[in-house]
Amino acid sequence: MSSDETERQSIEGELLVPQETYMLSGIHIGTEAEIKAMREFIYKVRNDGIHVFDLKKIDERIRIAARMLSHYEPGGILAVAASRFAVRPVQRFSQFTGAVAFVERFTPGLLTNPNLPGYMEPQVILLSNTEGGSQVVSEAALAGIPLIAFCDSNSPIDYVDLIIPMNNRSRKSLALAYWLLARQVLRERGQLGTQEDLPVKPEDFEMESEEGGIE
Amino acid sequence: MSEIRPTITVEFPICNSCRKPITPKERGVSFLCPNCGSYTIWRCKTCRKQGTKYVCPNCGFTGP
């Protein structure tokens, strides 16, 4: 057995899913631009200038985010989809974890104006994209609500309390990340065994191309 | 005879990043450490805006 293969197997033993599953979803592919705060999660820069995330760090952050979410009541978690491909993953995530899903256009004041119909007071927010969800970010800052966000290599991290570094533009990577997060939250709560899986596959979290959603 | 007034001492929470007290008017945030869940981390608005790192004194977790 070659040393590369041994190293790969030892890494796979530590990861939540096999390395190939991560690679096939493209969760590690960043953008050409990077911001300083995301530099610690970057593994390397490819020849074409694309930043590649460290899979171990993605894995570790998903575990930590799940641990953080398990500290809150299911109804106190607000999962917001800020891009088209995050709609279905967010809906499926809330279906399994009991979190409140928000997949429509975010009306300003929903977290800060008590007179507004549909006013919410979540304990923690899980955001799919900080660029698309800038209104959610600013309202979470005003209301003093902890914010967990999926951040790409060029995503702004203002007011984010826990970064999950990953490719947040791809359909497959968002599906895999929400699937892993849902599974890990249930494991942390004790609703799933440490080796048990969700009854559905990551593909079931995937947004279909014909489905509508917020742009 | 002078009246002795009771004194009240108010302790503000301290920001884990900059070590400054967070006043009630300031929109800070508090949450349990994402890693260990046994220590309450406080972050002031400025540190949240700038993305300043915080460290959990209990488990050593560094965020965000």
Side-chain angles (χ1 to χ4, degrees):
Chain A
M1 193 183 289
S2 67
S3 62
D4 285 352
E5 206 171 325
T6 317
E7 191 185 346
R8 214 180 86 192
Q9 280 181 355
S10 69
I11 290 169
E12 277 185 11
E14 297 164 12
L15 298 177
L16 289 168
V17 284
Q19 197 174 350
E20 279 76 26
T21 315
Y22 272 130
M23 302 291 259
L24 284 172
S25 70
I27 201 167
H28 62 297
I29 307 289
T31 59
E32 284 185 9
E34 67 153 10
I35 62 162
K36 195 181 167 187
M38 295 301 291
R39 210 168 281 168
E40 63 175 298
F41 304 110
I42 304 292
Y43 172 63
K44 69 170 184 179
V45 183
R46 283 192 333 206
N47 289 339
D48 56 357
I50 299 288
H51 292 76
V52 179
F53 287 115
D54 190 343
L55 280 182
K56 272 187 180 175
K57 289 188 177 171
I58 297 175
D59 196 84
E60 184 196 10
R61 281 302 171 114
I62 289 175
R63 284 173 200 263
I64 291 171
R67 215 170 292 151
M68 184 176 176
L69 288 174
S70 68
H71 299 154
Y72 297 93
E73 292 167 16
I77 303 169
L78 178 67
V80 183
S83 62
R84 191 183 161 193
F85 290 141
V87 172
R88 182 84 177 275
V90 164
Q91 285 172 336
R92 299 291 268 169
F93 173 81
S94 64
Q95 185 189 333
F96 282 103
T97 58
V100 180
F102 198 90
V103 295
E104 298 157 15
R105 180 185 170 267
F106 195 86
T107 314
L110 274 181
L111 301 177
T112 49
N113 184 359
N115 298 324
L116 209 66
Y119 170 71
M120 291 180 281
E121 283 184 339
Q123 295 169 334
V124 65
I125 298 174
L126 176 66
L127 184 61
S128 70
N129 186 354
T130 50
E131 277 173 305
S134 56
Q135 184 63 34
V136 184
V137 174
S138 56
E139 292 204 16
L142 277 173
I145 302 167
L147 182 65
I148 303 172
F150 293 109
C151 295
D152 215 320
S153 63
N154 64 346
S155 299
I157 60 147
D158 305 359
Y159 301 109
V160 177
D161 297 304
L162 187 68
I163 296 169
I164 305 174
M166 60 164 274
N167 174 7
N168 61 10
R169 307 169 315 282
S170 155
R171 192 166 55 192
K172 284 188 176 179
S173 69
L174 277 168
L176 180 66
Y178 275 99
W179 183 84
L180 279 173
L181 202 56
R183 191 184 73 171
Q184 203 58 27
V185 168
L186 294 181
R187 281 180 179 178
E188 290 287 340
R189 284 183 193 158
Q191 293 170 346
L192 270 185
T194 47
Q195 297 301 319
E196 268 186 281
D197 263 349
L198 288 178
V200 295
K201 289 181 177 174
E203 290 80 41
D204 295 319
F205 275 57
E206 221 171 281
M207 187 87 180
E208 287 168 22
S209 53
E210 293 83 27
E211 280 182 279
I214 48 172
E215 291 294 331
Chain B
M1 201 171 136
S2 64
E3 190 186 344
I4 301 169
R5 290 182 178 177
T7 54
I8 302 167
T9 314
V10 180
E11 281 189 15
F12 294 132
I14 306 290
C15 173
N16 269 60
S17 304
C18 63
R19 300 279 159 200
K20 285 180 185 170
I22 302 168
T23 56
K25 262 193 169 182
E26 194 181 347
R27 304 286 183 163
V29 69
S30 73
F31 53 92
L32 289 174
C33 170
N35 196 30
C36 63
S38 56
Y39 184 84
T40 306
I41 289 169
W42 281 88
R43 295 183 81 200
C44 69
K45 192 182 178 181
T46 316
C47 289
R48 282 188 92 195
K49 167 82 180 142
Q50 295 174 345
T52 314
K53 286 183 180 179
Y54 61 83
V55 181
C56 172
N58 193 31
C59 66
F61 172 74
T62 308

